């Protein structure tokens, strides 16, 4: 299939889509894609086409590239948006940092139901497959570059994934297209460039169709991955604690290990976070899932953590330690946001818990500092808040954020856990009697 046929076929399969945006770097591949989409648009006036050029500022000539992109789009009568991206250094290398910055710009600027078109081709897919294999990736990684996936407010699509780069180059020469050559593409210190310049030519000399066959392997891996994900989604439902985000460790430990790995990956994917490495998954299994029942371990994985408490496995961002807080809740007690606890306190919730908030009372909401006592029971006795929280199912790392509600200087409630006996709302019957007595007194 020629590049024009591939693009025209893809667009023809999207009868309900009218908005397309080409990620245009100024290089040969994206220039060909932009030109092809302009041809398709000329044959279908309903198509709304635009382009985005991201300037990473990593090359001395990046401003000249932006001017080139502007001129090309002007000649093709395609609206262009030029965006500046701030590349932040990361442990995954400069390529990953630039891609992340570029995708953030794409995400922020993509319109509702718009399709973002990228120009990756068969050689890109083959290189990705080899890179993932050399990293020891599982079937998800070997699936390579997806042809289409949800992205921001729309979709990210690669309509040329089945076309060879040579077919794109041939078309570019036929149409006398002018493009920018990025000098960093010759830097063999970068893994992808090393594969492209040193390894792929050797493979293609022996196996001329190696790019296409490796791409097919990626496609088959993708199909197998989707099957495993379907099974994994069923497993995730079966091990998730009802009505909560955490997982039952007992149920997770009962799964075959590979299926447990899929569940953990899906748990991370739901949050939109980077996939855990195999060493992360192995550590979660050994230190948390298969650990003693009384352990409260933690596994740091990339920029998030897995934590164990009792029979539950939690996934959360690697946040800083809980910050102390103290907030006055003024009468008539409008909803109070306690950001440190991730809660909003309301009078309705207080009433549901049985907390009495007298009109005009001084109410202070604050975090634990240690040594607090609350008056409970019949007959009344004082109990340490620390001991009270230890008896709950609340994880240890959450306990210091639980709001303590003080009314006129006395600890009235541990929010969502307990209410002091002398700060409880009276029973409904007593409230009715008080209201009737007040009405008689007023008469």
């Amino acid at each position: 299939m020629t590049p024009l046929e591939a693009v025209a076929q893809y667009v023809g399969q999207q009868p309900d889509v009218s908005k397309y945006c080409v990620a245009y770097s100024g290089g040969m591949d994206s220039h060909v894609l932009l030109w092809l989409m302009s041809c398709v648009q000329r044959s279908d006036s309903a198509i709304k086409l635009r382009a985005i050029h991201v300037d990473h500022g990593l090359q001395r000539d990046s401003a000249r590239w932006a001017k080139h992109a502007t001129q090309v789009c002007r000649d093709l009568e395609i609206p262009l948006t030029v965006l500046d991206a701030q590349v932040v250094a990361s442990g995954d290398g400069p390529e990953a940092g630039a891609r992340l910055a570029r995708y953030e710009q794409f995400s922020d600027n993509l319109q509702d139901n718009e399709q973002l078109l990228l120009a990756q081709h068969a050689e890109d897919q083959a290189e990705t497959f080899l890179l993932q294999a050399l990293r020891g990736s599982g079937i998800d990684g070997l699936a390579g570059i997806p042809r289409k996936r949800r992205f921001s407010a729309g979709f990210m699509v690669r309509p040329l994934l089945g076309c060879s780069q040579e077919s794109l180059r041939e078309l570019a020469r036929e149409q006398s297209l002018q493009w920018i050559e990025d000098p960093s593409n010759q830097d063999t210190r970068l893994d992808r460039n090393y594969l492209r310049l040193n390894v792929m030519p050797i493979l293609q000399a022996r196996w001329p169709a190696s790019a296409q066959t490796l791409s097919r392997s990626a496609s088959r891996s993708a199909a197998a991955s989707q099957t495993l994900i379907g099974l994994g989604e069923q497993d995730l439902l079966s091990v998730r604690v009802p009505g909560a985000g955490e997982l039952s460790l007992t149920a997770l430990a009962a799964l075959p290990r590979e299926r447990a790995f899929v569940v953990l990956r899906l748990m991370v994917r739901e949050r939109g976070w980077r996939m855990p490495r195999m060493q992360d998954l192995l550590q979660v299994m050994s230190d948390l899932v298969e650990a003693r029942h009384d352990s409260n371990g933690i596994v740091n994985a990339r920029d998030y953590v897995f934590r164990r408490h009792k029979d539950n496995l939690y996934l959360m961002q690697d946040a800083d330690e809980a910050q102390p807080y103290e907030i006055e809740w003024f009468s008539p007690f409008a909803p109070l946001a306690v950001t440190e606890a991730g809660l909003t306190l309301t009078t309705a919730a207080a009433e549901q818990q049985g907390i009495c908030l007298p009109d005009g009372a001084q109410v202070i909401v604050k975090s634990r500092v240690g040594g607090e006592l609350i008056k409970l029971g019949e007959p009344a006795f004082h109990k340490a808040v620390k001991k009270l929280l230890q008896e709950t199912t609340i994880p240890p790392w959450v306990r210091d954020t639980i709001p303590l509600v003080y009314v006129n200087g006395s600890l009235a409630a541990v929010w969502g856990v307990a209410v002091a006996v002398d700060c409880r709302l009276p029973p409904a019957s007593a409230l009715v009697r008080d209201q009737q007595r007040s009405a008689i007194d007023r008469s």
Side-chain angles (χ1 to χ4, degrees):
M1 184 181 297
T2 68
L4 180 58
E5 290 170 342
V7 171
Q9 182 185 79
Y10 176 76
V11 173
Q13 293 170 345
Q14 317 299 314
D16 298 328
V17 177
S18 61
K19 294 186 292 186
Y20 293 91
C21 178
V22 174
Y24 179 44
S25 68
M28 189 266 290
D29 302 339
S30 63
H31 195 157
V32 169
L33 178 58
L34 185 70
W35 183 84
L36 290 171
M37 282 302 299
S38 71
C39 294
V40 173
Q41 184 190 40
R42 284 195 293 272
S43 64
D44 186 350
S45 59
I47 290 178
K48 297 176 182 178
L49 177 64
R50 68 185 184 104
I52 288 181
H53 175 85
V54 177
D55 183 354
H56 300 90
L58 297 176
Q59 299 291 339
R60 290 182 305 171
D61 291 333
S62 62
R64 181 173 64 84
W65 298 354
K67 290 181 180 178
H68 170 80
T70 301
Q71 185 60 53
V72 168
C73 288
R74 184 180 295 123
D75 293 342
L76 292 173
E77 299 181 347
I78 296 172
L80 173 69
T81 301
V82 177
L83 304 168
D84 294 324
Q86 183 67 39
V87 179
V88 178
S90 70
D92 294 329
E95 289 178 297
R99 181 172 60 253
L100 180 61
R102 185 165 61 250
Y103 280 22
E104 286 178 351
Q105 292 291 339
F106 291 154
S107 176
D108 291 343
N109 286 271
L110 199 65
Q111 300 172 7
D112 289 342
N113 300 316
E114 188 175 34
Q115 297 208 356
L116 178 68
L117 304 181
L118 278 67
Q120 276 102 340
H121 45 70
E123 278 79 0
D124 289 318
Q125 182 71 293
E127 292 160 10
T128 300
F129 180 86
L130 287 175
L131 283 170
Q132 295 290 358
L134 291 169
R135 292 167 183 159
S137 297
I139 198 167
D140 286 349
L142 295 177
I145 307 171
R147 176 178 169 82
K148 181 179 181 180
R149 69 176 178 90
R150 279 218 165 264
F151 180 74
S152 187
F155 289 87
M156 179 179 287
V157 183
R158 299 169 175 89
L160 298 174
L161 211 52
C163 301
S164 69
Q165 186 177 40
E166 184 54 37
S167 67
L168 304 186
R169 190 176 300 278
E170 183 179 345
L171 179 58
R173 288 170 177 162
E174 287 177 359
Q175 300 301 322
S176 300
L177 303 182
Q178 301 296 316
W179 61 86
I180 297 290
E181 292 288 357
D182 185 347
S184 68
N185 289 338
Q186 304 302 311
D187 184 357
T188 54
R189 291 174 299 178
L190 304 177
D191 290 342
R192 185 176 290 275
N193 288 346
Y194 184 87
L195 273 180
R196 180 179 300 142
L197 299 174
N198 295 342
V199 177
M200 290 300 294
I202 296 175
L203 292 177
Q204 290 170 332
R206 178 68 183 236
W207 298 282
S210 56
Q212 285 73 24
T213 53
L214 289 171
S215 294
R216 284 201 299 274
S217 293
S219 296
R220 289 169 180 165
S221 296
S225 176
Q226 287 303 311
T227 301
L228 282 179
I229 287 174
L231 177 61
E233 288 172 342
Q234 296 176 30
D235 286 338
L236 180 58
L237 286 174
S238 71
V239 303
R240 174 162 277 156
V241 177
E246 57 266 26
L247 308 183
S248 162
L249 286 164
T250 299
L252 189 62
L255 291 176
R257 178 167 276 211
E258 287 299 326
R259 285 169 61 179
F261 288 162
V262 175
V263 166
L264 294 174
R265 291 191 186 101
L266 287 176
M267 190 184 188
V268 173
R269 179 179 290 182
E270 283 184 340
R271 310 288 181 89
W273 298 342
R274 295 187 299 165
M275 285 293 100
R277 298 156 295 196
M278 178 54 70
Q279 60 262 38
D280 298 328
L281 298 177
L282 290 170
Q283 190 176 359
V284 169
M285 294 300 293
S286 63
D287 294 4
L288 305 182
V289 179
E290 298 164 354
R292 296 195 325 266
H293 293 299
D294 59 348
S295 67
N296 285 315
I298 179 171
V299 170
N300 291 282
R302 295 189 179 271
D303 44 8
Y304 49 86
V305 297
F306 292 92
R307 303 190 75 149
R308 171 178 181 144
H309 176 59
K310 297 187 182 296
D311 189 45
N312 293 337
L313 180 71
Y314 297 80
L315 174 66
M316 61 193 68
Q317 288 185 312
D318 189 10
D320 296 332
E321 290 186 8
Q323 297 299 312
Y325 60 88
E326 182 172 329
I327 313 166
E328 186 163 1
W329 195 6
F330 294 99
S331 181
F333 311 116
L336 179 70
V338 183
T339 55
E340 296 85 352
L343 294 170
T344 297
L345 278 53
T346 66
T347 54
E351 183 177 341
Q352 190 174 39
Q353 296 175 55
I355 304 171
C356 181
L357 299 174
D359 290 341
Q362 183 191 48
V363 177
I364 302 295
V365 177
K366 61 182 181 179
S367 55
R368 288 180 57 222
V369 295
E372 296 89 353
L373 299 173
I374 187 169
K375 192 174 181 181
L376 302 174
E378 292 291 345
F381 66 97
H382 286 89
K383 185 167 187 173
V385 171
K386 178 179 179 180
K387 179 66 173 176
L388 178 69
L389 290 172
Q390 287 175 340
E391 294 171 354
T392 71
T393 59
I394 299 171
W397 59 90
V398 178
R399 293 171 191 165
D400 285 343
T401 68
I402 300 294
L404 305 186
V405 181
Y406 288 80
V407 176
N408 294 329
S410 297
L411 180 54
V414 179
W415 192 265
V417 178
V419 181
V421 293
D422 50 0
C423 296
R424 294 190 64 86
L425 284 171
S429 58
L431 281 174
V432 171
R433 287 197 303 271
D434 290 344
Q435 291 170 355
Q436 291 173 341
R437 188 176 298 112
S438 296
I440 293 171
D441 292 341
R442 286 195 299 272
S443 63

